[in-house]
Amino acid sequence: MIYVFALFLLTLLVITAVAIVRTTNLFVAVMLTSIFSLLMAANFFILDAADVALTEAAVGAGVTTVIFLSALALAGDVEQPRLGSRLLPLGTVGVLAVLIIYATFDKPRLGDPDAPVHQHVAPWYLEKTPEYMDIPNVVTAVLSSFRGYDTLGEVFVVFAACIGVLFILGVRPPGPAAELPAEPSGLRHHLIPQVVGRLLVPFIVLFGLYVQFHGEYGPGGGFQAGAIIATGVILYALLEGEAEALRAVPRSVLLGLVVGGALLFGAVGVVCMLMGGAFLDYSVLAADPVFGQQMGIIVIEAGVGMAVCGALLSIFHAFAAREGRP
Amino acid sequence: MIDVVLDVISWVLLALGGACVLIGGIGGLRLPNFYTRIHAASLTDTMATLLIFTGMMLQSGFSLPTMKLFAIMLFLLLTGPTATYALANAALLSGMKPDSGVERDRGASGGVQ
């Protein structure tokens, strides 16, 4: 039964992908990308990757769509007509497709217990997580402790991406600044979405906090929580206007979240070194190594959540602030 | 005995909900203009959500999943109609006339009084 459902979802994915390529209206393409992400999230869920599904649904279907739409508001929603022949791109894609399909022949079957990925370090992680961290969600244990270096790198990638977008979009264009409209830019004519949205925003943020602090016990963690909280604030910005959202969560707080999140993560590593352990070896943080691990995981997950939330909101505001300008 | 009755009721609700989704889907494809289409699609948001989630809650009995299902149902019942409303309102504000399908209806059925 699950195979039938997976096959159905994968077929829909292919149809959506073809539709994204075929459409010339970029607005339609963005909406289809959102649907693609939602289907992908359902697919991840079928494959028992609840953590990844949560991230894909929040970031792919939620935040990215809004950021794409803000970009479209600046750039227009009609694709430029294509110049030149399509033979070279078609040839490249064809060759790559043949290569990838050829590579799948070597792939182990779905759920094969003898697959290399299940033979290498995964059994060790599964065996040692209860002993070292004593938390049920092995994904969180791998992400934040066993593979702490990788996650630190990811947080710095998020940090760098945010700084890069701010450098490009935050530059004031030459010439006099455009007059901002006096009235608030929210949904003036949309009373019902505004009322329902106001009702939902607190619950979205609350759910984000639950995902943040429940990451050791269930699917979730910093990345998902940051994205969910960012979604809540973006919804607020869409309902009440960007200026209101900036008053609720000012730019300085956003930058503080991005920088503070990345710094918090790094600082935990340095504190571990100062207390006589290796970089990001949380066992030395408390007298009891297991408790030290748990404490370290909670603190760095908070850092990840702060960095992701701040980065997504900064990027959104960078696009939205651009709209009032020529 | 009561288990069997609950099972039957829940499956009836699930089947009715499925039928609503199907009708909504067919309506979304077949109806003539934008407003009638979202009218059909909103059937999926409200009636189908209510029926399917009640059916699933009866299946899971009195437990934590039931509460979760109830929360999801409440969320969908709040957001679905709101999204439909926002869609219709945005279409109206961007200049789409609600009666633009009337002419076609008259043409198709040979005159409506």
Side-chain angles (χ1 to χ4, degrees):
Chain A
M1 190 62 208
I2 204 79
Y3 280 100
V4 176
F5 195 49
L7 204 64
F8 173 69
L9 278 178
L10 288 173
T11 316
L12 277 181
L13 267 182
V14 173
I15 293 172
T16 318
V18 171
I20 293 173
V21 175
R22 299 283 304 169
T23 181
T24 51
N25 187 330
L26 295 177
F27 186 75
V28 175
V30 168
M31 284 301 143
L32 286 170
T33 319
S34 171
I35 294 173
F36 188 89
S37 283
L38 211 57
L39 288 171
M40 207 64 212
N43 247 319
F44 285 141
F45 197 76
I46 288 182
L47 295 173
D48 278 342
D51 297 75
V52 192
L54 208 53
T55 319
E56 181 68 36
V59 178
V63 183
T64 330
T65 309
V66 176
I67 291 178
F68 271 144
L69 288 180
S70 331
L72 281 190
L74 301 177
D77 61 355
V78 182
E79 196 177 309
Q80 291 284 329
R82 186 191 305 273
L83 299 172
S85 96
R86 295 183 178 196
L87 276 182
L88 186 64
L90 265 181
T92 316
V93 170
V95 169
L96 280 178
V98 168
L99 270 178
I100 290 172
I101 292 171
Y102 177 69
T104 57
F105 293 145
D106 261 354
K107 214 169 109 354
R109 284 177 51 81
L110 177 66
D112 182 5
D114 295 328
V117 67
H118 297 306
Q119 297 294 322
H120 187 47
V121 287
W124 190 84
Y125 288 149
L126 288 172
E127 193 184 317
K128 294 295 179 184
T129 299
E131 185 187 328
Y132 287 158
M133 290 95 182
D134 197 21
I135 59 174
N137 189 356
V138 182
V139 176
T140 303
V142 172
L143 181 129
S144 44
S145 186
F146 291 125
R147 291 268 167 192
Y149 281 33
D150 298 6
T151 312
L152 181 68
E154 282 166 31
V155 168
F156 277 105
V157 166
V158 169
F159 174 75
C162 172
I163 299 294
V165 171
L166 288 186
F167 262 132
I168 295 168
L169 288 179
V171 180
R172 189 174 284 277
E179 282 290 311
L180 283 176
E183 73 245 59
S185 58
L187 300 173
R188 288 181 300 282
H189 307 282
H190 294 55
L191 183 64
I192 296 176
Q194 217 167 19
V195 170
V196 174
R198 274 181 197 155
L199 191 72
L200 288 178
V201 168
F203 289 105
I204 295 174
V205 176
L206 185 68
F207 180 65
L209 289 175
Y210 164 79
V211 169
Q212 169 84 56
F213 292 109
H214 207 254
E216 296 89 54
Y217 305 101
F223 286 102
Q224 293 87 341
I228 291 170
I229 294 174
T231 322
V233 180
I234 288 176
L235 177 62
Y236 185 74
L238 293 178
L239 294 171
E240 308 283 340
E242 200 225 344
E244 270 308 297
L246 271 180
R247 214 167 63 196
V249 190
R251 253 180 241 284
S252 52
V253 172
L254 291 180
L255 274 183
L257 280 177
V258 181
V259 179
L263 271 181
L264 185 63
F265 201 147
V268 171
V270 175
V271 167
C272 291
M273 283 169 79
L274 289 180
M275 292 179 76
F279 187 66
L280 290 178
D281 174 16
Y282 316 128
S283 303
V284 294
L285 286 177
D288 176 19
V290 173
F291 183 65
Q293 285 282 348
Q294 291 176 350
M295 210 166 72
I297 289 174
I298 286 180
V299 175
I300 69 113
E301 285 279 6
V304 172
M306 282 161 63
V308 169
C309 179
L312 289 175
L313 283 176
S314 301
I315 293 173
F316 167 73
H317 280 307
F319 276 105
R322 199 74 184 181
E323 245 155 80
R325 296 178 192 163
Chain B
M1 180 58 202
I2 191 78
D3 283 353
V4 177
V5 172
L6 278 182
D7 213 33
V8 169
I9 294 175
S10 89
W11 277 108
V12 167
L13 287 174
L14 284 174
L16 280 176
C20 280
V21 173
L22 193 66
I23 294 167
I26 294 173
L29 285 173
R30 296 286 302 158
L31 285 175
N33 63 37
F34 175 77
Y35 292 100
T36 47
R37 275 190 204 143
I38 59 170
H39 166 67
S42 68
L43 186 68
T44 318
D45 293 338
T46 49
M47 201 61 202
T49 309
L50 208 61
L51 289 172
I52 289 179
F53 274 87
T54 317
M56 286 198 288
M57 280 193 278
L58 286 179
Q59 280 286 321
S60 64
F62 195 73
S63 58
L64 185 63
T66 306
M67 284 313 295
K68 289 182 181 170
L69 284 170
F70 183 73
I72 297 172
M73 183 178 84
L74 212 61
F75 179 78
L76 286 179
L77 282 181
L78 273 173
T79 50
T82 312
T84 308
Y85 166 81
L87 203 59
N89 201 356
L92 190 68
L93 283 179
S94 67
M96 194 182 267
K97 289 280 188 297
D99 58 353
S100 58
V102 171
E103 298 302 316
R104 194 132 59 108
D105 283 354
R106 283 209 179 114
S109 61
V112 179
Q113 274 78 45

